[in-house]
Amino acid sequence: MIKKDISDEQIVRKVQQGQTEFFSIIVERYRNKIFSIGMRFFYNSDDSADFTQEVFLRTFDRIHTYREIAPFKYWLAKLAYNLAINMKKNIPDDRISVDDISEPYHEISPEGEHIYDEMKKTLAEEINKLPERYRICLDLYFFMGLKYTEISDITGYPVNTIKSDVFRAKNILRQKLTGTI
C-alpha cells in the first residue's frame, strides 16, 4: 500500500498496534501544518520548530488515546492548539515573518520562483499583522483544513464567531494585498 493511499486513521491504528515506523508518515504529512500553527503563536522559526517537535512527541506518547471519534487531523490540531496556548505563556511576543506557506505543486522558472517567494513573503507579513484570533482561525481553517465546528471545539469560540473571523481575515488580506499579489 502506498503511503498516500493510507488514511491517517489506518496509520494511527498501525502505530497503536506497535508498528511505530508508520508514525513517520504522520510527521511527514503534518510537519509543515504544525509548524505553521507554531508560527501563528510564536512568530519565530526556533520556537515554532521546538513547538513542532513537542507536538509530535506528545502525539506519539498519547496516540493510544485516539479513538477515531473525529478525524485524526482534528485530534492532532486540538493537541497542537492546546499545547501552543500553554507554551505561549512562557515565550515573549516578538514577531517575525512567516516562511511556511505551501510550495507550488509544479516546477517553476527561476523568475517565477523569485516572484513566488516575494508573494509568499508579502502574504506572510500581512498574515502576521492580523489579530491573533484571526490568524489562528485562518490557520486552522485553511492550513489544517478543519471545519468551523472543529475549530470551535478546539478554540472554544462560537462557530459564528469563527466564520466571522475567517471572513474578516480574508477581507483584510484582500484589501491589503490588492495590487501586490
Side-chain angles (χ1 to χ4, degrees), residues 2-175:
I2 300 172
K3 67 181 176 180
K4 290 181 182 178
D5 295 336
I6 301 175
S7 72
D8 292 342
E9 291 72 19
Q10 290 170 315
I11 294 168
V12 170
R13 274 186 243 119
K14 289 182 181 291
V15 174
Q16 289 172 333
Q17 295 166 356
Q19 298 178 45
T20 56
E21 66 275 9
F22 279 87
F23 190 74
S24 65
I25 299 170
I26 294 292
V27 173
E28 185 180 320
R29 284 184 184 176
Y30 291 101
R31 167 183 45 223
N32 291 338
K33 292 177 181 182
I34 298 300
F35 184 83
S36 181
I37 290 172
M39 288 298 288
R40 301 294 182 263
F41 278 91
F42 308 114
Y43 315 112
N44 71 67
S45 296
D46 291 339
D47 290 337
S48 296
D50 290 345
F51 165 76
T52 301
Q53 184 176 10
E54 187 63 26
V55 166
F56 287 117
L57 287 171
R58 288 189 187 206
T59 300
F60 186 79
D61 287 343
R62 296 175 182 169
I63 204 156
H64 66 279
T65 66
Y66 174 68
R67 299 285 179 245
E68 294 190 43
I69 295 168
F72 176 76
K73 70 180 179 179
Y74 166 73
W75 184 85
L76 178 62
K78 186 166 187 155
L79 186 145
Y81 179 81
N82 289 335
L83 180 61
I85 293 291
N86 290 332
M87 288 177 71
K88 178 140 173 130
K89 296 173 187 171
N90 300 321
I91 295 180
D93 185 13
D94 52 343
R95 297 180 187 200
I96 65 166
S97 296
V98 175
D99 59 3
D100 187 50
I101 297 172
S102 298
E103 296 296 323
Y105 293 105
H106 57 281
E107 300 262 338
I108 55 176
S109 68
E111 179 183 354
E113 190 173 326
H114 175 71
I115 291 169
Y116 177 78
D117 288 343
E118 288 300 313
M119 288 177 11
K120 189 169 96 170
K121 179 181 172 192
T122 303
L123 178 59
E125 289 170 356
E126 292 303 324
I127 288 173
N128 270 339
K129 291 177 186 176
L130 293 171
E132 182 175 287
R133 195 168 87 187
Y134 290 7
R135 284 193 315 271
I136 292 166
C137 290
L138 206 63
D139 198 34
L140 293 174
Y141 184 74
F142 286 108
F143 295 110
M144 289 295 291
L146 298 177
K147 298 175 186 169
Y148 294 125
T149 54
E150 294 170 332
I151 297 169
S152 176
D153 289 342
I154 291 169
T155 62
Y157 303 145
V159 171
N160 287 335
T161 301
I162 294 164
K163 288 179 182 179
S164 294
D165 289 351
V166 170
F167 179 78
R168 288 180 183 138
K170 289 187 326 189
N171 280 339
I172 291 168
L173 291 173
R174 187 177 297 115
Q175 289 173 359

